[in-house]
Amino acid sequence: MSRLGRVAAETRAAWYAFTRRRTAVFFTFFFPVILILIFGVLVRTDPTSGGLFTEPAGYYVAGYIAVVVLFTPLSRVGSEVARHREGNRFEKLATTPLSRAEWLLAQTLVNVAVIGLAAVLILGLVLAVTDAAFSPSPLVVPYVAVGVALFCGLGAILGRVADSQDGVVAASNGVALPLLFLSRTFVPPALLPAWFRPLMELSPLTYFARGLRAATFPSAAADNAGLVGTDPYLNLAVLAVLAVAFFAAGAVALPRTD
C-alpha cells in the first residue's frame, strides 16, 4: 500500500473512532456554542467602559475560533496517544508499514475536518446572535489548518509525556489556559504590563489570533503590532514554520513500543 493509501486508511479509522464516541462529538461542538452564548450574548462587549471585553464584538471572533483550534487538538490527540499507549497499540503499529508521522498526519486531518466544522458553527452563531462585524476571508481556511497541525503536534508531545489519559487532560488544560488568555485572543495587550507584552510573541497562538483578526477584522490593525506586525500573511508564515517544527517534534515523540 502506498503512503497516501496508508494515511487515507488511518484517517478513515480515526474519523470513525471519533464519531463513535458520542460524548466527544457533543462537547466538541457544544463548548464553542456555550462560549459564544456566555461572552457574546450574556456578558457582551462594551467599548466605552474599562476592563475586559472593551473591544468591538468583531475583535473577539478570532479568539472564539482560537479556543477550538487550541483546546480540541491538545485534548484529542493527547488522549489518543495516551489511549494507544495504555492499549499497547503503538507496539502493534510498529509491525505495520504505517510510520509515526503518517499516523500523526491522519489524526491531524481528522482534527482539521472536525475543527473546520466547529469554526463554521462559531462564525454562524456569532453572526446570528451578536452584532460582530466580520469580513469573510479565504485565509480562515489555512489559518485553521495550520493552527490545528501545530497543536496536534503539541498534543502528541503531551500524550507522550503524560502517564495517563487523566494526566493528558490536566497537562493540556495547564498549557492551554495560560496560552488562551495571554496570546492576543481575548485580553488586549494594552491591559497587560508593558514588560510582559514582548513575551506574548513566544506563544504560537499569538500569531494565529493576531493574523486571523487582521484578516477578518481589519480595524484591529491599530493594535500593538508586535514582532511581525499585523500583516496576516506574515503571521501565517510564522505560524506555518512553527507548525512544521511542532508536528515534527510530535512525530518523533510518538513511541514505537510501550
Side-chain angles (χ1 to χ4, degrees):
M1 182 181 291
S2 65
R3 175 173 297 175
L4 181 60
R6 294 195 298 270
V7 172
E10 182 62 26
T11 301
R12 286 193 297 270
W15 174 262
Y16 291 137
F18 168 69
T19 55
R20 283 195 297 268
R21 294 193 289 271
R22 297 180 181 179
T23 302
V25 174
F26 176 78
F27 282 102
T28 296
F29 296 99
F30 180 73
F31 181 60
V33 170
I34 288 297
L35 187 74
I36 293 171
L37 292 178
I38 291 175
F39 293 109
V41 178
L42 298 179
V43 177
R44 295 182 177 271
T45 61
D46 186 2
T48 63
S49 67
L52 294 175
F53 298 101
T54 57
E55 300 291 336
Y59 180 92
Y60 300 101
V61 173
Y64 294 142
I65 298 176
V67 170
V68 291
V69 168
L70 172 64
F71 277 87
T72 304
L74 284 183
S75 60
R76 287 201 66 249
V77 174
S79 296
E80 195 68 21
V81 172
R83 190 178 299 112
H84 273 57
R85 291 177 61 193
E86 291 174 2
N88 296 322
R89 298 180 188 176
F90 283 116
E91 188 170 332
K92 298 173 184 177
L93 284 176
T95 64
T96 71
L98 189 71
S99 69
R100 291 177 292 177
E102 291 168 352
W103 182 89
L104 184 56
L105 176 59
Q107 300 296 323
T108 300
L109 293 175
V110 172
N111 277 274
V112 168
V114 170
I115 296 166
L117 293 174
V120 171
L121 175 63
I122 288 172
L123 294 178
L125 277 175
V126 166
L127 295 177
V129 303
T130 74
D131 59 352
F134 176 78
S135 300
S137 172
L139 287 179
V140 173
V141 175
Y143 263 101
V144 170
V146 173
V148 170
L150 190 157
F151 291 110
C152 280
L154 182 55
I157 296 172
L158 294 180
R160 174 62 185 269
V161 173
D163 56 359
S164 65
Q165 293 186 51
D166 290 338
V168 168
V169 173
S172 61
N173 287 335
V175 170
L177 285 175
L179 287 181
L180 181 62
F181 291 103
L182 301 176
S183 301
R184 297 175 180 265
T185 49
F186 296 106
V187 181
L191 297 181
L192 296 172
W195 63 266
F196 184 81
R197 295 169 195 168
L199 298 179
M200 300 173 75
E201 303 301 306
L202 300 177
S203 168
L205 194 64
T206 289
Y207 301 95
F208 177 89
R210 181 173 54 202
L212 186 59
R213 180 174 294 119
T216 59
F217 189 66
S219 61
D223 191 7
N224 189 0
L227 185 62
V228 297
T230 56
D231 186 284
Y233 294 96
L234 284 178
N235 281 276
L236 181 59
V238 174
L239 190 69
V241 171
L242 294 174
V244 171
F246 274 92
F247 184 91
V252 171
L254 292 176
R256 292 186 180 274
T257 57
D258 304 285

